[in-house]
Amino acid sequence: MTQVFAPFGPHFGFGLYVHWPYCARICPYCDFNVYAAKDRVTEPLVSAIAGDIRAHRRKVPEHGALDTVYFGGGTPALLRPEQVAEILKAASDTFGIKESAEITLEANPNDVLRADLPGLRRAGVTRLSIGVQSMRDAALAFLGRDHDAEAGAEAVKRALKVFESVSMDLIYARPGQSPANWEAELADALALGAPHLSLYELTFEPATAFGKAAARGDIVPMPDDAQADLYELTQQMTLRAGMPAYEVSNHAASPAHQSRHNLVYWRGGDWIGVGPGAHGRLSVSGNRYATEAERRPEAYIAGVQMLQEGWADAGKLPPLDIARELLAMGLRAAEGVDLRRVELVSGKQVPRDKLAVFAEQGWVKMQGSELSLTESGRLLADALTAQLAP
């Protein structure tokens, strides 16, 4: 990392997150703020998002041009290229977008097969993130997806013809999944040649359809030890394929293909969150603020029309919360976190006795003031972070 001159803020990256909340189908494992596409109000929401971006200029008057823009959701690939261009123009006119900026758009395979990919590229998108989720038809049916394995593979191949940087999302550690099953599936995914993989273990959030099914006993999640075995297999296979983990769940063929937008989060940079339910983190005058937009699209559209200047004290993060977030997010990335940043914010020292024990166990490593997790330590990331948090 570069020399520490402030513990957080836009010098660690400045991004824009755009949340498009509509989906053609809501997946049973999804815990995001999403709504059925048949109920969507498109043009007013695009206009509201553009207005929200412009309103943020008053809140962060000294922030420079954007390093990254990320269209997430939901399914932002439901947007037409001209709507993507309209949102990006608002960002460019208001803050500026660096010429080298990474601009990512999430898409599902069927969207990729229908979309005007060259049009999206002309609109400004530089990177496509495709929610393939599985390379097996039975698993896709279980996950509630609206595409099959052939469509997922074809979508990746089509995207690679238009975008240099393409990412695939896959979900593993599904109930009953064997190591041999996952090994074959991951091998098929790697063979497609996407330079970035996001590989997530299936989670059962309480409010989701899967979470409720697990609570009833209709679905039995994979035991933790079995999940750990699949995680270790994942690390071995991706490393051999030249796709090492640069974060707990993310793999890239080279630093050029790492998600620069996600690195803004993990490094403690600033980002504007616009769109229904979007979260942001912004730093002004030595304070750090958490922002959260109205969740319902109709309320968001109405609320943007009444945006107030300045900051609400309710959004100001206490120093301990900032420090804990810096530690938790920083330790997710392979590059780790500079403990001086955590200690400067919190005014407390990270416990050196625990660090020594964790290093002896082979879970963490220190280089100067930089702390990072080892491969075995990533399996215990949440527990180690909780023990080290000020």
Side-chain angles (χ1 to χ4, degrees):
M1 283 188 179
T2 56
Q3 182 179 0
V4 175
F5 52 94
F8 53 81
H11 43 275
F12 289 105
F14 181 36
L16 168 66
Y17 173 73
V18 180
H19 188 77
W20 189 254
Y22 296 114
C23 287
R25 179 185 295 186
I26 297 175
C27 300
Y29 54 83
C30 180
D31 193 36
F32 299 135
N33 186 45
V34 295
Y35 303 89
K38 61 181 177 63
D39 299 326
R40 61 183 166 180
V41 282
T42 302
E43 294 300 338
L45 183 54
V46 170
S47 297
I49 288 171
D52 197 357
I53 292 169
R54 289 189 288 267
H56 272 81
R57 176 80 278 180
R58 298 191 298 270
K59 295 187 173 185
V60 284
E62 297 181 0
H63 281 52
L66 292 159
D67 298 296
T68 65
V69 181
Y70 194 101
F71 289 83
T75 310
L78 295 174
L79 289 163
R80 300 189 305 275
E82 59 267 28
Q83 294 172 321
V84 172
E86 180 181 344
I87 292 170
L88 289 175
K89 185 177 187 302
S92 180
D93 290 348
T94 305
F95 290 96
I97 299 175
K98 292 181 180 178
E99 187 175 347
S100 61
E102 173 195 89
I103 301 176
T104 301
L105 184 133
E106 290 182 347
N108 290 320
N110 285 342
D111 302 317
V112 174
L113 297 178
R114 290 189 294 258
D116 177 8
L117 298 187
L120 287 172
R121 183 167 180 174
R122 289 192 297 271
V125 175
T126 66
R127 180 176 182 269
L128 213 60
S129 179
I130 306 174
V132 175
Q133 311 308 8
S134 177
M135 302 293 293
R136 299 290 182 267
D137 286 344
L140 289 167
F142 168 72
L143 293 170
R145 305 295 288 166
D146 64 355
H147 67 277
D148 59 19
E150 183 180 357
E154 184 58 33
V156 173
K157 294 174 185 176
R158 184 179 179 209
L160 286 169
K161 293 177 182 177
V162 180
F163 297 97
E164 182 179 349
S165 200
V166 173
S167 177
M168 291 175 61
D169 282 11
L170 292 173
I171 296 174
Y172 69 103
R174 305 184 296 265
Q177 187 176 29
S178 69
N181 174 285
W182 174 233
E183 182 175 11
E185 184 176 349
L186 181 54
D188 288 347
L190 288 164
L192 291 173
H196 188 280
L197 296 176
S198 294
L199 306 175
Y200 301 109
E201 297 170 39
L202 179 61
T203 57
F204 294 80
E205 301 297 337
T208 66
F210 270 5
K212 293 173 183 176
R216 294 192 303 266
D218 296 340
I219 298 177
V220 180
M222 180 176 286
D224 289 346
D225 287 348
Q227 290 191 43
D229 290 342
L230 292 189
Y231 181 84
E232 290 176 345
L233 173 61
T234 301
Q235 307 316 302
Q236 295 163 9
M237 290 185 64
T238 52
L239 185 61
R240 286 198 304 267
M243 300 273 288
Y246 70 98
E247 189 266 350
V248 171
S249 302
N250 287 273
H251 305 254
S254 71
H257 291 291
Q258 294 177 1
S259 171
R260 288 166 51 197
H261 185 80
N262 284 341
L263 285 167
V264 171
Y265 300 160
W266 300 324
R267 288 171 173 168
D270 276 14
W271 70 94
I272 294 167
V274 296
H279 291 255
R281 291 289 185 276
L282 294 168
S283 306
V284 180
S285 302
N287 296 312
R288 190 157 174 83
Y289 296 86
T291 66
E292 181 177 2
E294 290 277 1
R295 290 179 61 84
R296 298 290 304 181
E298 296 81 4
Y300 175 81
I301 292 168
V304 166
Q305 298 168 2
M306 300 181 291
L307 280 173
Q308 297 179 350
E309 296 186 21
W311 294 99
D313 284 341
K316 185 188 294 186
L317 291 171
L320 278 179
D321 287 358
I322 299 172
R324 289 165 181 161
E325 188 171 88
L326 287 174
L327 182 68
M329 297 298 283
L331 284 180
R332 290 193 63 86
E335 66 186 19
V337 63
D338 191 326
L339 291 183
R340 292 177 296 176
R341 297 170 59 199
V342 177
E343 293 171 347
L344 178 62
V345 173
S346 67
K348 297 182 178 182
Q349 189 178 60
V350 173
R352 295 306 192 262
D353 55 340
K354 292 182 180 178
L355 278 177
V357 171
F358 295 162
E360 185 177 347
Q361 293 292 327
W363 297 331
V364 304
K365 54 187 176 181
M366 288 286 297
Q367 185 172 2
S369 59
E370 300 275 352
L371 174 68
S372 60
L373 299 179
T374 64
E375 185 176 317
S376 60
R378 289 179 197 153
L379 285 166
L380 305 168
D382 291 343
L384 296 177
T385 300
Q387 289 289 312
L388 295 173

